[in-house]
Amino acid sequence: MRVTTPRLTHHLLKFREAGEPVLFVHGNVSSSAFWRDTLQAVPEPYLPLAVDLRGFGRSDAAPVDATRGLRDFSDDLAELAAHLDLGPLHLVGWSMGGGIVLQLLRDHPELVRSLTLVNPVSPYGYGGTEGPDGRLTHADGTGSGAGAANPDFVARLQAGDISEEAATSPKSVFRASYVAHPVPDEDFYVASMLTTHVGEHNYPGEAVTSDRWPGVAPGKSGVLNALAPTHFRLDDLHELDARPPILWIRGADDVIVSDHSLMDLANLGAMGVVPGSPGTPAQPMVTQTRAVLERYGNYREEVLADCGHSPHLEHPAEFRRLLLDHLGAAR
């Protein structure tokens, strides 16, 4: 299903025509296809919908203004919800999508009935911060941004590489980072990754260098720059007058969003993988999320053992049970 609003043309995945709306939002380097099996399993009276974000899947590859943080994405969703007259809806956000639905809550709380966060990005962005309060390591966000992306992975993504020999191929990255163990339909999800629009205005974005270690800083355009802590920061959610319930589901073995993430340059420096570290500590991503949600108050955390970055793929039955219980309690 394609829906055109003044901002862009969206692609939506759905398997039902009516019901109480539940909007699923995917993460970085993926698409709505990652929600396919979940949508098919969500029963009535819900209307499950999954949207391709700008620059992913079959939605328009509109540019991302990174200086707005994740607001280009969240504003797209707010306009889409209004266009489809969805009213207050349940939001489910995975990884970067978790940050997007939190931004939507921050800017449009009247649109939100409940939130489910699935291995969400820290409310203090990705890279470049320290401690549970998300303080910047450097004022300009050094340590985050598009320059942190592995250039060989970006090149293979753009080339549509479906091989598995190189550690930087999309298939190898899926196996090593997206999931802790093999899952069915692996090639289907890798094909979804390959729909990512690559460039300075989408993924990964404009690469900017820094004179300080690790040599990268946020630019002004593109996805990874939008996730930089100088552009994306949500530490005032507890000030909202209305605070709908939040369910936070995460895999215990996540290597992407973790207090010791294998994609955080500071952590890789501490491990000796990226040389020259001056001792910059790893970003405690999970601890930061918990600190923000503790202040928010109306939340519950569920940790799935033997699970990586994608609980909805790795433990689908348990994920759906937690989600449906949460939706039912919020009705």
Side-chain angles (χ1 to χ4, degrees), residues 69-223:
L70 295 176
R71 280 192 170 95
D72 273 359
F73 298 112
S74 61
D75 286 353
D76 289 345
L77 298 185
E79 185 179 77
L80 178 66
H83 183 82
L84 295 177
D85 194 25
L86 295 179
L89 71 163
H90 304 282
L91 293 169
V92 183
W94 168 51
S95 194
M96 181 178 75
I100 293 168
V101 299
L102 283 174
Q103 187 69 65
L104 185 59
L105 169 66
R106 172 64 183 80
D107 295 340
H108 302 281
E110 74 283 356
L111 290 179
V112 183
R113 180 172 293 185
S114 77
L115 263 75
T116 302
L117 306 176
V118 187
N119 293 61
V121 65
S122 165
Y124 300 119
Y126 203 90
T129 67
E130 304 173 16
D133 59 348
R135 64 186 179 276
L136 291 169
T137 301
H138 299 286
D140 65 352
T142 287
S144 65
N150 184 300
D152 194 56
F153 170 70
V154 174
R156 290 174 181 275
L157 188 68
Q158 186 170 30
D161 182 10
I162 59 172
S163 69
E164 56 189 69
E165 290 77 18
T168 52
S169 75
K171 181 175 286 188
S172 296
V173 170
F174 177 85
R175 290 173 174 174
S177 303
Y178 283 49
V179 294
H181 301 286
V183 297
D185 289 342
E186 176 185 79
D187 289 343
F188 174 79
Y189 299 114
V190 173
S192 167
M193 295 170 67
L194 295 176
T195 66
T196 301
H197 190 83
V198 175
E200 287 194 351
H201 296 287
N202 295 104
Y203 179 84
E206 173 195 18
V208 174
T209 60
S210 172
D211 293 335
R212 290 173 291 201
W213 188 90
V216 299
K220 295 182 178 180
S221 65
V223 175

Side-chain angles (χ1 to χ4, degrees), residues 8 10 37 56 72 94 96 105 126 140 155 166 174 178-179 182 194 204 235 247 259 263 266 277 301 320-321 331:
L8 76 158
H10 309 257
D37 293 350
F56 298 95
D72 273 359
W94 168 51
M96 181 178 75
L105 169 66
Y126 203 90
D140 65 352
F174 177 85
Y178 283 49
V179 294
L194 295 176
D235 56 2
L247 171 63
D259 281 359
M263 295 187 181
S277 170
E301 178 181 358
R320 289 194 295 267
R321 183 189 69 78
R331 295 189 67 198

